[in-house]
Amino acid sequence: MIRCADNMHNLARYLIFFQYIGTRYRGATKVPSHQHDRKGVQDHLEDAIRRLRPNNPVSLSVSSRTDSGVHALSNSAHFDLQRMKDKPPFTEDVLVEALNYHLRTEQIRVTHAHRVPDNFHARHRAQSRTYIYRIALGFSKQSLLPLTDCELCWNLSNMELDVEAMHKAAAMLVGTHDFSSFRAISTDTPFKSPVKTLDVVDIQPGSSFASAHFHREIPFWELKFQSRSFLYKQVRRMTGALVAVGQRRLSVPQLRDIMEARDSLIYPKCLAAPANGLFLARVDYREEGKQVRQNRFSKAPTSQLSFNTEKNIVCIRRQEMYSRIMLLGTLQA
């Protein structure tokens, strides 16, 4: 369809960053109409945009797909919006406030928005994605966890993990490899290369969201994964394998054999980590030619954006503890 330039002068493309507690949603992206027993996060975001009464069809492009039950501290998406009656485009702050007003009954929050060029694409332009997986030790039942951590971590009855062995296994995953053994079969499988480059696989102590107010100390560990992109359920499968190494149910050589087999069917059944402990923590962008100027990002309300002049990378970095963010989201449900 050819658009008349005179009628599109107030059309604006926005890049938004948003977070959600994924327990009640069927993943990040749109759900087919015949499966609307539970909507995806995208469905609710598009509903909120439609309530702004745009003059153009609403179509959101989400940068990172997350599975049902997976959470996000910062996902991103772009969309076009043209206001009716030749009204000027919304400012970023007004857009964020308006969208959150219409999302107030959902566990979804838009954290900030930016005007971007009309050829900007949230998924294609993303340079890296960072996931965090939270593990709580010493709890055989999820119901024993603090309310602020229930459904937001993987609870294990183990009091300890062999973290040294897990670090050795994690080091084996870093770099460029064929990760066929760590992807689940999906309709996209024949069309996507299994070769991915993992820039970071790290294991560090974590903490409960209620650490200062719970009657007992809870040992937490956080697994961090960073790459430009991931295969379907790759992070959950890698997490499950690393935890199995930590529980001494799987040795580092056995994990190497699984990876070198390059066969998704060789991955042990029931080993993948559950969805509820996984968070998409960050999506980073590189802006070539400074198409999005640094000062455009100077007023982000909940994040500070750093600009690396050597690589010309604009990064969204969390400055506040995400424990407070998730606690607030839980209590506002």
Side-chain angles (χ1 to χ4, degrees), residues 9-82:
H9 67 91
N10 65 336
L11 182 72
R13 176 161 293 191
Y14 294 93
L15 170 67
I16 61 170
F17 292 86
F18 54 97
Q19 56 187 209
Y20 47 89
I21 297 177
T23 308
R24 65 168 69 169
Y25 305 113
R26 193 186 285 270
T29 53
K30 186 188 290 288
V31 174
S33 57
H34 65 278
Q35 297 179 2
H36 261 194
D37 56 317
R38 275 197 304 163
K39 291 184 177 181
V41 174
Q42 180 180 349
D43 294 303
H44 291 285
L45 285 168
E46 290 186 349
D47 288 345
I49 297 169
R50 289 189 189 97
R51 296 188 72 174
L52 303 181
R53 301 178 64 188
N55 200 35
N56 60 302
V58 174
S59 179
L60 196 74
S61 294
V62 178
S63 73
S64 307
R65 293 185 293 180
T66 58
D67 298 333
S68 178
V70 175
H71 320 291
L73 299 173
S74 187
N75 203 338
S76 60
H78 79 262
F79 64 93
D80 295 329
L81 191 148
Q82 183 185 34

Side-chain angles (χ1 to χ4, degrees), residues 120-310:
F120 183 93
H121 197 287
R123 181 166 62 88
H124 298 156
R125 296 289 286 275
Q127 294 300 303
S128 72
R129 295 164 173 87
T130 302
Y131 283 88
I132 300 292
Y133 198 100
R134 303 179 69 242
I135 298 171
L137 300 183
F139 284 82
S140 58
K141 296 181 180 179
Q142 192 179 72
S143 59
L144 299 176
L145 286 164
L147 183 61
T148 52
D149 290 299
C150 191
E151 297 290 348
L152 299 174
C153 67
W154 183 12
N155 57 291
L156 299 176
S157 58
N158 306 69
M159 285 302 297
E160 293 183 359
L161 293 173
D162 187 345
V163 178
E164 182 178 353
M166 292 174 70
H167 277 295
K168 292 179 181 178
M172 187 177 64
L173 298 174
V174 175
T176 303
H177 306 284
D178 184 325
F179 285 97
S180 293
S181 297
F182 293 96
R183 71 172 171 184
I185 301 298
S186 71
T187 54
D188 293 336
T189 299
F191 309 104
K192 288 192 174 182
S193 170
V195 177
K196 298 291 179 182
T197 300
L198 262 64
D199 301 310
V200 176
V201 181
D202 194 18
I203 304 157
Q204 295 293 335
S207 63
S208 166
F209 293 149
S211 57
H213 306 286
F214 198 55
H215 67 278
R216 56 166 287 193
E217 184 177 349
I218 307 172
F220 261 88
W221 288 93
E222 291 188 355
L223 280 63
K224 178 181 178 181
F225 303 89
Q226 182 176 310
S227 176
R228 180 162 188 169
S229 62
F230 294 89
L231 299 170
Y232 181 51
K233 295 189 178 180
Q234 180 185 350
V235 175
R236 289 169 57 189
R237 285 188 161 211
M238 290 189 300
T239 297
L242 291 174
V243 168
V245 170
Q247 294 172 324
R248 298 186 177 92
R249 294 189 293 126
L250 199 66
S251 68
V252 175
Q254 286 175 321
L255 180 58
R256 182 181 293 109
D257 290 342
I258 290 173
M259 185 165 74
E260 291 178 352
R262 301 176 184 177
D263 182 358
S264 61
L265 298 179
I266 208 73
Y267 186 87
K269 291 182 179 180
C270 303
L271 194 65
N276 52 284
L278 184 59
F279 292 77
L280 173 60
R282 200 171 79 211
V283 181
D284 295 340
Y285 292 92
R286 175 184 294 120
E287 294 305 328
E288 299 176 0
K290 298 184 181 180
Q291 289 177 312
V292 178
R293 297 190 302 274
Q294 182 183 358
N295 60 11
R296 286 253 182 120
F297 295 93
S298 60
K299 297 182 180 180
T302 59
S303 300
Q304 180 178 349
L305 290 97
S306 60
F307 191 78
N308 185 325
T309 55
E310 293 180 359

